[in-house]
Amino acid sequence: MARAYRTALMAASALVPATLASATELEVTHWWTSGGEAAAVAEFAKAFDAIGHKWVDGAIAGSGGTARPIMISRITGGDPMGATQFNHGQQAQELVEAGLMRDLTDLAEAEGWKDLVNPPSLLDSCTLDGKIYCVPVNIHSQQWLWLSNAAFEQAGVAVPTNWDEFVAAAPALREAGILPLAMGQQPWQTTLAFQVILTAILGPEGYTRVFGDKDAEFAGGPEMAEVFQAAATAREMSQGSNVQDWNQATNLVITDKAGGQIMGDWAQGEFQVAGEVAGEDYTCLPGLGVNEVIMTGGDAFYFPKVDDADITQAQEDLASVMMSPETQVAFNLKKGSLPVRGDVDLAAANDCMKKGLDILAEGNTISSPDQLVSPDSLSQINDLFVEFFNDPNLGPEEAQEIFAGLIADAG
């Protein structure tokens, strides 16, 4: 459908309520269920409903690791939803190769996505054999440390500006009855923390040598040894963090019961729902205040093939709406993420989002491990990170030796 027609359709839909006959229900599955996430996904639903369709919410409680097998099972089992969330990377590649996902190339070319999406690697992650199979909706970076300003005030120490200062403040936080580092017990959260620490200490070049080049010698060297020592320190700082979900850990920071949390920028949505003000109530340190970098991970939506022409049209309309500048702004301001379009106005961005935008503008970006490492290899590496955080008897030296071997064999 041509861009001019879409523009006219959206303008008209704002003025004329959709009739029941013109509305098509489209089930959309995702794993966004926290307060901030729900507020963000509601912006997608509102924009889709406004053009005459009906968003049927298919939220699946839990993390992506819980939701993805359910989504894949439905698609391969002949019960596809209208649209489904995956992360950027290779998570849906086998479904695409099996011919189960819609080709969005015509829409992407008509709307000029290649000229709009920044960085281009996001659209590359949607592309297989020159065809585009998904619509990227945000840039999520996990490289953040979130700090409670009041917690450090109570402990009588200054709010840290980097990881080393945070580590140095941990004893004072403990003495004040404040947990230094909040961390949920789900495996992906410890994996995330380890990856963030790795990137902060090694920097973008070192990160790429490990995950991009699969440099096993570097992975077993002295630079990587510093990473495992820092992870051991984080493991000690998080002792006593008995919450399960990531947003429960974020709430410990919001309520000043914990000094900080290593978590992606989606945590920002929880701070906003709680009425917290960036730069006043909480502080955000991209790259742990050591190496300021944005990991160009995030979320994309895929559209399973169906035989229903009405559903097919609704899928295309939803893809277009998700990429529209108005929806990009509304969704990402609530989600705490950055828009994938490089041409949108984010004057309403808060202090933390502005930091992210500045880093993105400077080109300080890295690809996510999902985009660099095969799913099987990454699963083995992540299992090691989880075991390390959960088993104090696994020392940094032993864990690094195992890690270097996994990198050597990684696909």
Side-chain angles (χ1 to χ4, degrees):
M1 186 181 293
R3 189 185 307 184
Y5 174 73
R6 289 188 176 280
T7 303
L9 176 63
M10 294 182 69
S13 66
L15 300 173
V16 181
T19 64
L20 185 61
S22 67
T24 298
E25 293 188 349
L26 197 71
E27 182 191 10
V28 185
T29 55
H30 59 87
W31 56 83
W32 289 325
T33 56
S34 75
E37 290 172 330
V41 78
E43 294 295 336
F44 277 154
K46 180 170 65 176
F48 184 60
D49 291 354
I51 63 168
H53 295 302
K54 177 62 178 176
W55 174 289
V56 178
D57 200 70
I60 300 173
S63 66
T66 300
R68 278 190 297 273
I70 298 172
M71 297 166 174
I72 293 170
S73 178
R74 283 190 55 184
I75 295 168
T76 58
D79 181 30
M81 62 296 291
T84 189
Q85 171 194 11
F86 284 104
N87 294 125
H88 298 316
Q90 304 177 28
Q91 292 176 353
Q93 183 170 325
E94 291 184 0
L95 296 173
V96 172
E97 291 174 339
L100 297 173
M101 292 299 191
R102 281 197 58 190
D103 177 359
L104 301 175
T105 306
D106 288 346
L107 174 66
E109 290 179 350
E111 297 190 345
W113 290 4
K114 287 187 177 180
D115 296 326
L116 298 172
V117 174
N118 180 47
S121 60
L122 299 177
L123 203 56
D124 292 342
S125 294
C126 290
T127 304
L128 185 66
D129 297 330
K131 300 292 185 180
I132 296 172
Y133 290 92
C134 69
V135 51
V137 297
N138 61 8
I139 302 169
H140 260 319
S141 177
Q142 60 188 40
Q143 318 300 124
W144 296 83
L145 175 61
W146 306 90
L147 303 171
S148 162
N149 291 358
F152 290 94
E153 182 178 351
Q154 293 171 29
V157 292
V159 177
T161 63
N162 57 50
W163 172 253
D164 288 340
E165 292 179 5
F166 180 45
V167 171
L173 290 168
R174 288 280 190 196
E175 188 174 344
I178 298 170
L179 175 70
L181 180 62
M183 186 176 296
Q185 300 306 302
Q186 294 166 323
W188 69 268
Q189 296 182 59
T190 50
T191 294
L192 180 150
F194 205 110
Q195 291 176 355
V196 172
I197 292 170
L198 183 153
T199 306
I201 292 176
L202 297 184
E205 291 185 2
Y207 169 88
T208 301
R209 287 184 67 177
V210 172
F211 288 110
D213 301 335
K214 319 294 191 303
D215 187 335
E217 182 177 354
F218 182 78
E223 294 92 342
M224 194 67 205
E226 292 183 31
V227 173
F228 276 91
Q229 290 293 339
T233 299
R235 179 171 64 184
E236 181 179 345
M237 291 171 65
S238 66
Q239 288 182 1
S241 183
N242 298 319
V243 296
Q244 184 73 12
D245 296 333
W246 70 267
N247 52 308
Q248 292 175 321
T250 305
N251 189 60
L252 293 177
V253 181
I254 291 172
T255 57
D256 311 320
K257 296 176 182 176
Q261 179 192 23
I262 299 172
M263 185 48 59
D265 51 13
W266 50 89
Q268 201 168 180
E270 302 303 300
F271 284 99
Q272 291 185 39
V273 168
E276 298 273 287
V277 178
E280 296 181 13
D281 300 306
Y282 66 98
T283 294
C284 54
L285 299 180
L288 307 186
V290 181
N291 270 296
E292 295 190 351
V293 63
I294 291 292
M295 179 178 288
T296 54
D299 304 287
F301 278 82
Y302 289 76
F303 301 85
K305 286 183 178 178
V306 295
D307 293 329
D308 189 312
D310 290 337
I311 295 293
T312 298
Q313 184 60 56
Q315 289 175 328
E316 187 169 320
D317 292 341
L318 177 57
S320 181
V321 164
M322 285 177 162
M323 186 61 76
S324 71
E326 298 83 5
T327 308
Q328 277 281 298
V329 171
F331 170 77
N332 284 291
L333 284 177
K334 293 285 181 65
K335 192 69 168 63
S337 48
L338 302 177
V340 299
R341 293 182 64 124
D343 64 341
V344 297
D345 180 11
L346 277 172
N350 67 18
D351 180 65
C352 293
M353 186 176 286
K354 287 177 180 176
K355 289 182 180 179
L357 289 169
D358 288 343
I359 295 170
L360 187 63
E362 292 167 1
N364 295 337
T365 64
I366 55 174
S367 298
S368 69
D370 288 330
Q371 296 168 292
L372 299 173
V373 182
S374 70
D376 287 343
S377 295
L378 188 58
S379 178
Q380 295 177 52
I381 293 169
N382 289 345
D383 286 346
L384 171 63
F385 291 162
V386 172
E387 181 183 1
F388 181 77
F389 266 98
N390 290 331
D391 183 5
N393 294 318
L394 179 57
E397 296 83 3
E398 181 184 356
Q400 183 184 3
E401 183 178 352
I402 298 171
F403 178 74
L406 293 174
I407 291 297
D409 295 334

